[in-house]
Amino acid sequence: MEYVTDAVDHGKLVDVIYLDFQKAFDKVPHRRLLNKLKAHGISGNILNWICEWLNGRQQRVILSGNVSAWLYVISGVPQGSILGPLLFLILINDIDKGIANRLLKFADDTKLVGTVSSDLDIEQLHSDLKQLYDWSIDRQMLFNVNKCKVSAFWV
């Protein structure tokens, strides 16, 4: 908020783009997450504990009295847990690599913030959005375009 108000106070236009991941916590790929944890030096009992916490979970669907078979869950982190948002952030911690504007992350909420007072600013914001889109395709963590919004701030 301080960045936005400071820019507006200096006569600049600011766009805040709210990005929403499609079923963010449900789509966390376990194998990719565990590899990322290893790459960050997490090993031994802690890695084993996280692996056990993720693996072996099952789910089924009950609809109008009809019950499906139990199936093993191969992706996702439990919602409502303390560890889930942290693991999600570790998974996406490289999303801002090469982004010129500000990228704010909190759990599955991501905001791209940048001034749009010149054509160059606008091009940079578009470039950052393209890079974020490419990242999401590469990591199979797609954005829900219908829930992504833009707020514009100016004097």
Side-chain angles (χ1 to χ4, degrees):
M1 188 54 109
E2 188 174 324
Y3 173 81
V4 172
T5 56
D6 186 55
V8 170
D9 286 347
H10 287 89
K12 296 182 179 182
L13 305 170
V14 178
D15 279 353
V16 178
I17 303 167
Y18 299 86
L19 303 170
D20 182 79
F21 286 100
Q22 289 180 4
K23 301 187 183 271
F25 290 106
D26 295 334
K27 292 194 174 183
V28 171
H30 291 171
R31 186 176 308 267
R32 180 173 282 157
L33 173 61
L34 293 171
N35 287 336
K36 195 122 187 206
L37 291 169
K38 288 177 193 174
H40 285 291
I42 297 171
S43 61
N45 288 338
I46 294 174
L47 184 64
N48 291 337
W49 179 78
I50 292 171
C51 187
E52 288 297 319
W53 185 67
L54 293 173
N55 291 327
R57 291 186 302 120
Q58 296 181 347
Q59 67 182 21
R60 68 179 179 175
V61 176
I62 302 173
L63 181 63
S64 299
N66 297 313
V67 181
S68 72
W70 285 98
L71 294 175
Y72 283 98
V73 177
I74 59 170
S75 66
V77 292
Q79 295 183 33
S81 66
I82 293 172
L83 193 54
L86 175 63
L87 293 174
F88 182 80
L89 282 175
I90 290 170
L91 181 70
I92 69 163
N93 72 344
D94 63 342
I95 191 173
D96 50 1
K97 195 173 201 174
I99 299 294
N101 288 286
R102 291 177 180 258
L103 193 68
L104 308 171
K105 301 175 284 190
F106 180 77
D108 63 335
D109 294 323
T110 307
K111 293 177 238 10
L112 178 64
V113 182
T115 59
V116 288
S117 297
S118 70
D119 288 343
L120 184 61
D121 289 344
I122 294 168
E123 285 179 33
Q124 187 59 64
L125 198 59
H126 280 250
S127 175
D128 286 349
L129 279 172
K130 171 76 168 90
Q131 187 170 329
L132 290 167
Y133 172 79
D134 292 344
W135 179 95
S136 75
I137 296 295
D138 183 55
R139 304 302 192 290
Q140 299 173 334
M141 296 292 297
L142 303 178
F143 293 112
N144 183 349
V145 177
N146 293 328
K147 289 188 176 181
C148 295
K149 304 292 181 202
V150 177
S151 292
F153 297 89
W154 69 92
V155 175

